Amino acid sequence: MSKHDDIMKGLGLHGQAVVAALELVADLGRRGPGLDQVAIRIGADPAKLRKIFPDDESLLFAVAEQALMRLMDSCTRAVVKIDPDDAVGQFLALGQAYIRWAAEHRVQFRMIFGHPRLNAAQVPELRRYLDSIVDLMTRMLERARDTGRLRDGEDIPMLVLSSRIFAYGLAQMVVDGRTDSWFPSCTPHEAAEQALQDFVKRIARGSAPRSRRRR
C-alpha cells in the first residue's frame, strides 16, 4: 500500500473527499472538482457523499476551509515565536509565514485566490479566516504605533492594505516561479521573504518619528 493509500485509509469519508478534491483541483485546474468525480476517485457511493456535501460548491468550500485553517495555524506558530514586545518583528513573521504557506501549498493558494467557482471573501465561513489575519495585522501595527515604532497619525488601515497587496504579490510570484533568479543562493520563497523583510523595514523606518530616525 502506498503512503497515499495509507493516509486515505485512516480518514473518514469527509476527509477522503477533501483530499481527493484537492488532488482533482491540481489535475483539472479551473474546471474541477465535482462530487461525482470525487466519488469515483475514492470509490464511494455518490449518494453517501451527497449527505455530507449537498453540492459541488460545498465540497470546494470544505477544501478551502481546511487550507485556510492550515494557513492560520502556520501564522500563529510563526508569530508566537517572536518577542510579544516586538510588534514589527511579529508583523514580519506573519508575512513570512504566509509566503511560506503559499510556497508549500501552491494548489491551495491558487484555488483560494484564483478559482472561478470560489470567492473566499464572499463566503462567511471562509471570510472569517481572512478577516482574522487582517485583524491580527491591524493589532500588530497599532501596538507598533503605541510603542513609538510608527507615527502617532499613521494610517493603519491603509498600511494593512498595502502590506496585504505586497505580500500577496510576492506569494503569487513564488507560486508562479518568478522569484527564482532574484538571489541565486536562496530558494524562491527565501528570496520573497528577503523582499518582504526589506519592505517591512522600510515601513518601520519611514513611519518612525523623526527623533527615532536620527538615532
Side-chain angles (χ1 to χ4, degrees):
M1 179 178 289
S2 69
K3 182 178 179 180
H4 169 81
D5 291 336
D6 193 41
I7 292 173
M8 291 292 276
K9 184 178 179 181
L11 298 173
L13 185 57
H14 181 283
Q16 291 182 32
V18 168
V19 171
L22 185 58
E23 292 172 347
L24 285 167
V25 168
D27 292 344
L28 302 174
R30 300 172 68 84
R31 294 187 292 109
L35 279 169
D36 291 337
Q37 292 169 302
V38 170
I40 293 172
R41 193 166 186 116
I42 63 178
D45 182 349
K48 289 184 178 180
L49 198 59
R50 290 183 186 279
K51 290 181 179 180
I52 302 174
F53 305 103
D55 50 42
D56 294 349
E57 281 65 34
S58 62
L59 175 58
L60 192 63
F61 294 163
V63 177
E65 183 170 30
Q66 184 183 80
L68 288 170
M69 288 173 63
R70 289 183 177 178
L71 171 60
M72 286 299 303
D73 181 66
S74 297
C75 290
T76 301
R77 289 175 182 272
V79 169
V80 297
K81 292 179 181 179
I82 308 301
D83 185 344
D85 293 328
D86 184 5
V88 173
Q90 288 187 328
F91 188 76
L92 174 60
L94 177 64
Q96 290 176 329
Y98 171 75
I99 291 173
R100 195 174 305 115
W101 170 83
E104 295 173 354
H105 301 88
R106 299 180 183 222
V107 175
Q108 291 94 323
F109 177 85
R110 288 193 177 103
M111 181 189 68
I112 291 170
F113 297 106
H115 199 283
R117 286 167 45 198
L118 179 67
N119 185 342
Q122 299 299 319
V123 181
E125 294 83 0
L126 302 180
R127 176 63 184 262
R128 63 193 175 109
Y129 294 102
L130 302 177
D131 287 345
S132 293
I133 294 176
V134 171
D135 180 64
L136 188 57
M137 294 173 68
T138 301
R139 287 187 281 114
M140 287 176 178
L141 291 178
E142 288 175 343
R143 285 194 293 110
R145 178 196 59 200
D146 294 343
T147 56
R149 299 293 300 276
L150 301 176
R151 293 192 304 266
D152 289 341
E154 186 64 63
D155 188 341
I156 299 297
M158 182 57 69
L159 199 52
V160 168
L161 177 60
S162 61
S163 298
R164 289 174 61 196
I165 293 171
F166 189 80
Y168 169 76
L170 282 176
Q172 185 69 64
M173 294 183 79
V174 169
V175 170
D176 291 344
R178 289 185 285 166
T179 63
D180 299 23
S181 62
W182 289 2
F183 305 107
S185 62
C186 298
T187 65
H189 89 261
E190 287 173 344
E193 287 182 358
Q194 284 198 30
L196 180 68
Q197 184 174 22
D198 180 74
F199 175 78
V200 172
K201 284 183 177 180
R202 289 174 187 276
I203 286 177
R205 185 166 61 242
S207 298
R210 289 184 179 179
S211 60
R212 290 181 61 87
R213 276 186 260 174
R214 293 196 190 102
R215 295 175 188 176

